[in-house]
Amino acid sequence: MNILTKSIFVASLAASLIFASSSKAAELDVNVDVSIPNVLILYAYTDIDLSFAPGEFASLLDSSCTTEDCASALTATQSGTISSNAVNLDIASDLAATGTSATVTLQNSWAVRALGYGTFNASIADKASESAVSNLDITPSTGTPSMAATTGAVSFDIDLTSSDLDDGTVTANYTITVTGS
């Protein structure tokens, strides 16, 4: 071997010894367990004010009424009865009651998000609504929750013959409960 070859060999050997000691590594397996709790989030409007135009509300009483100033002509020929010099045309017999209650539906008025539950159950309970309010209902009443919100609706009936309407306001109070399982 010539001197150049020997020099290269010795230099390579020295370099491998230097780098060999620094190329050692430590290795360790790590397991991390994250416990995620069940989370249920209910969103709902807590104060809702509804105002109806007169024509919208009047059409609940008479389906032929479609404007704010409603006029419904009675076109049937009437023959009245005369009693004590008065003619009774008996208009009441021409008026079939087309509506004594109105159903109000509050679409997208509540929502639920959940994590860790397979299903949810929604319920609604009256909380001192006026007597004109009845038939509280919530939809959906069950569902599969996810982090993408599931929206729902609340509906109730208003008795249009109730004395609660005398002041022009009807109050509905209710509690929404959503449970996960």
Side-chain angles (χ1 to χ4, degrees):
M1 267 204 236
N2 69 24
I3 192 112
L4 181 60
T5 307
K6 285 183 188 179
S7 298
I8 293 174
F9 177 71
V10 171
S12 309
L13 183 61
S16 67
L17 290 175
I18 292 170
F19 291 117
S21 62
S22 65
S23 67
K24 291 185 180 180
E27 186 177 287
L28 181 62
D29 290 335
V30 177
N31 274 336
V32 177
D33 293 329
V34 178
S35 296
I36 298 175
N38 293 344
V39 176
L40 187 68
I41 304 169
L42 173 62
Y43 304 91
Y45 292 103
T46 58
D47 193 11
I48 302 170
D49 294 326
L50 300 176
S51 296
F52 291 94
E56 292 170 325
F57 212 76
S59 66
L60 298 172
L61 296 171
D62 186 343
S63 59
S64 64
C65 183
T66 58
T67 64
E68 291 191 16
D69 298 319
C70 297
S72 296
L74 300 176
T75 56
T77 303
Q78 291 294 327
S79 52
T81 57
I82 300 173
S83 174
S84 301
N85 296 326
V87 178
N88 181 2
L89 294 179
D90 195 18
I91 191 172
S93 64
D94 292 321
L95 303 178
T98 59
T100 57
S101 68
T103 300
V104 175
T105 301
L106 308 173
Q107 295 179 338
N108 295 310
S109 59
W110 67 276
V112 62
R113 279 190 168 136
L115 182 66
Y117 292 103
T119 61
F120 72 84
N121 295 304
S123 62
I124 190 166
D126 193 307
K127 186 182 172 190
S129 295
E130 289 186 319
S131 61
V133 176
S134 62
N135 296 324
L136 276 168
D137 192 29
I138 192 167
T139 55
S141 58
T142 62
T144 304
S146 70
M147 289 312 295
T150 300
T151 59
V154 171
S155 64
F156 53 88
D157 293 340
I158 298 175
D159 179 2
L160 300 178
T161 64
S162 173
S163 61
D164 288 341
L165 275 67
D166 290 350
D167 64 357
T169 302
V170 174
T171 302
N173 291 311
Y174 53 84
T175 301
I176 298 173
T177 305
V178 177
T179 55
S181 58

